């Protein structure tokens, strides 16, 4: 009897515990990436809260935004100053409030570890760190001026940051068996502003020494001093190595405590006119330092670009730079003005595992955002609509799309904004190409005028031979045989090929396609026209031999 009672007690205890779900992880196959959450691919339809919205009083304004956006994930800081207000005294009460709120509001979390570097500064480090420049020295520029950035060459700073990060990860391991937290960002836009490197005496001594063998070997260089190996780029490369090694120290220890996917975000150089290191944070995971970061910080899964540069051509360049076989594409921050919403489509076309506009909550913080002239920063539900409509379209397939993108080829484009014709040609392999054009009526052949504000975008996935999944907004897509010379749309090109079938539909919860209706006649005679309705098409093309 006693045994039976004990067994029943054990069963009751087990049943009342949240089930241990499979931990989130990143997987890679044939150069493609997927973020696995609860054992299946997951697309982050995210947004990032404002920097100071991570306190219980502000959180309702964050959850409210999550609902208006149809988001599934919130990116939100955990500041070192919040969790270790006095050295060695940890307080995770706020983290627990955040976890509970996220679960109540059906959101996953990506936590941003604001610690040694937050946009290059130690502003989010606890006061006991900021005030102790002797123990936690700031970097010094070539003229001997102290900069407001921790130097990465001091072991004490890294050890203190690491201890706090490990405590946070250990707490999450205990407090989050449901895996509400799916990824961690380590630091925020690390780097040094105002100098290419630290010129303090400690840094000087290291700079005069040899480049570490692992870096020389990894980059395929000949051994030598920093100056000898890297010439004009020596200062920045030195800074990047030490920042990346510091970050690795924090990340690897955190990961040993609790193994979650980890990434770093980047304050980018201008995609076309990079400027000098120090005008952007020197030593951060900028495009030209990615190879170094892979060598120096293997515990970091990927570096993600924070995109605020407006131009479509620059965004496409950034996607190429950060979407690599060894670097999953994830957009941790992007401008919140309406004209940035369309970049969701090329991001997905670049294989992105997630997308996250910055500063979207209802604390009404306006910020000084750069963007298209005359485009106001977003403040209310009506203004978040350009992002919300993307998430409404993808929320029902937040599990299916990333599975497709992990296994098939995908492409995406956004309406151009650098002059020229408002259309783009896309090569879809050996048999097909597509012409995407913007600002056209749904009926007729009038040339594209472009939308009043660049708003269009489409994304495609190849489901099988001659079969594509297509969706988008404010754009027309025409499929053309790849063999046609030039992008000659319509009658001439159409002689040789046709739509075998165009279905509008959706994927059910198990990822099965559910056909709702067939598009034909006016709906296909003038290309496939996406306006503001959320429409997902499965297109079968055919070609006369
Ligand atoms: C990029 C940073 O990573 C964010 O935390 C924020 O400061 C934005 N810039 C601008 O508001």
């Amino acid at each position: 009897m006693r045994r039976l009672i004990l067994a029943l007690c054990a069963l009751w205890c087990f049943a009342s515990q949240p089930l241990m779900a499979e931990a989130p992880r990143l997987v890679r196959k044939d150069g493609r990436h997927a973020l696995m959450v609860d054992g299946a691919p997951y697309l982050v339809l995210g947004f990032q809260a404002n920097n100071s919205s991570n306190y219980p009083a502000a959180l309702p304004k964050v959850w409210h935004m999550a609902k208006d956006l149809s988001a599934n994930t919130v990116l939100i800081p955990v500041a070192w100053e919040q969790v270790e207000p006095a050295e060695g005294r940890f307080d995770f009460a706020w983290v627990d409030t955040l976890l509970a709120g996220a679960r109540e509001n059906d959101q996953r979390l990506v936590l941003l570890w604001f610690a040694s570097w937050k946009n290059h500064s130690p502003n989010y480090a606890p006061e006991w760190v900021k005030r102790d420049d002797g123990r936690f020295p700031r970097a010094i520029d070539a003229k001997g001026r102290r900069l407001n950035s921790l130097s990465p060459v001091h072991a004490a700073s890294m050890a203190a940051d690491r201890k706090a990060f490990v405590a946070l990860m250990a707490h999450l391991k205990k407090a989050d068996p449901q895996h509400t937290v799916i990824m961690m960002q380590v630091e925020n836009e690390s780097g040094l502003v105002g100098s290419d490197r630290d010129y303090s005496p400690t840094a000087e001594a290291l700079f005069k020494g040899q480049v570490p063998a692992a870096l020389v070997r990894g980059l395929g260089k000949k051994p030598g001093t920093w100056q000898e190996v890297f010439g004009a780029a020596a200062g920045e490369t030195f800074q990047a190595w030490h920042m990346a090694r510091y970050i690795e120290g924090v990340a690897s220890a955190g990961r040993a405590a609790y193994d979650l996917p980890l990434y770093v975000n980047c304050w980018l150089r201008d995609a076309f006119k990079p400027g000098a290191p120090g005008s952007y944070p020197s030593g951060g995971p900028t495009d030209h330092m990615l190879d170094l970061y892979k060598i120096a910080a293997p515990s970091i899964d990927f570096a993600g670009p924070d995109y605020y540069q407006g131009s479509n051509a620059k965004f496409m360049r950034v996607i190429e730079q950060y979407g690599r076989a060894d670097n999953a594409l994830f957009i941790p921050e992007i401008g919140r003005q309406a004209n940035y919403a369309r970049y969701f489509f090329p991001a997905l076309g670049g294989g992105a595992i997630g997308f996250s506009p910055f500063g979207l909550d209802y604390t009404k913080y306006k910020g000084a955002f750069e963007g298209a002239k005359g485009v106001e920063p977003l403040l209310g539900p009506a203004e978040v609509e350009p992002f919300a409509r993307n998430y409404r379209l993808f929320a029902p397939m937040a599990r299916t799309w990333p599975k497709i993108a992990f296994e098939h080829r995908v492409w995406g484009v956004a309406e151009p904004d650098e002059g020229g014709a408002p259309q783009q040609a896309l090569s879809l392999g050996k048999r097909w190409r597509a012409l995407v054009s913007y600002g056209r009526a749904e009926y007729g052949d009038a040339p594209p005028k472009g939308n009043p504000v660049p708003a269009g975008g489409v994304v495609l996935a190849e489901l099988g031979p001659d079969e594509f999944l297509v969706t988008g907004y404010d754009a027309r897509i025409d499929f053309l045989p790849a063999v046609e010379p030039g992008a000659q749309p319509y009658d001439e090109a159409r002689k040789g090929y046709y739509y075998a079938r165009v279905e509008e539909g959706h994927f059910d919860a198990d990822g099965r396609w559910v056909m709702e209706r067939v598009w034909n006649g006016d709906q296909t005679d003038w290309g496939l026209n996406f306006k503001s309705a959320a429409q997902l098409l499965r297109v079968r093309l055919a070609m006369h031999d």
Side-chain angles (χ1 to χ4, degrees), residues 48 50-51 114 118-119 185 188-189 265 267 306 308 333 358 365 367-369:
Q48 190 168 143
N50 280 301
N51 289 163
F114 280 16
K118 191 304 181 179
N119 307 14
Q185 179 186 293
N188 188 81
E189 294 194 344
N265 65 331
W267 172 335
D306 292 351
Y308 294 97
E333 292 183 32
F358 175 81
Y365 177 72
F369 289 89

Side-chain angles (χ1 to χ4, degrees), residues 82-136:
Q82 246 173 337
V83 300
E84 196 184 3
E87 189 167 9
R89 182 164 66 74
F90 291 100
D91 177 0
F92 295 111
W94 170 74
V95 174
D96 294 339
T97 306
L98 179 64
L99 292 176
R103 289 172 195 144
E104 262 164 43
N105 289 279
D106 212 12
Q107 295 296 305
R108 301 284 180 148
L109 296 170
V110 173
L111 300 184
L112 321 171
W113 178 235
F114 280 16
S116 295
W117 296 286
K118 191 304 181 179
N119 307 14
H120 74 87
S121 85
N123 292 355
Y124 279 82
E127 220 176 314
W128 56 268
V129 172
K130 284 189 281 208
R131 283 179 182 276
D132 196 346
D133 204 53
R135 190 170 155 210
F136 309 113

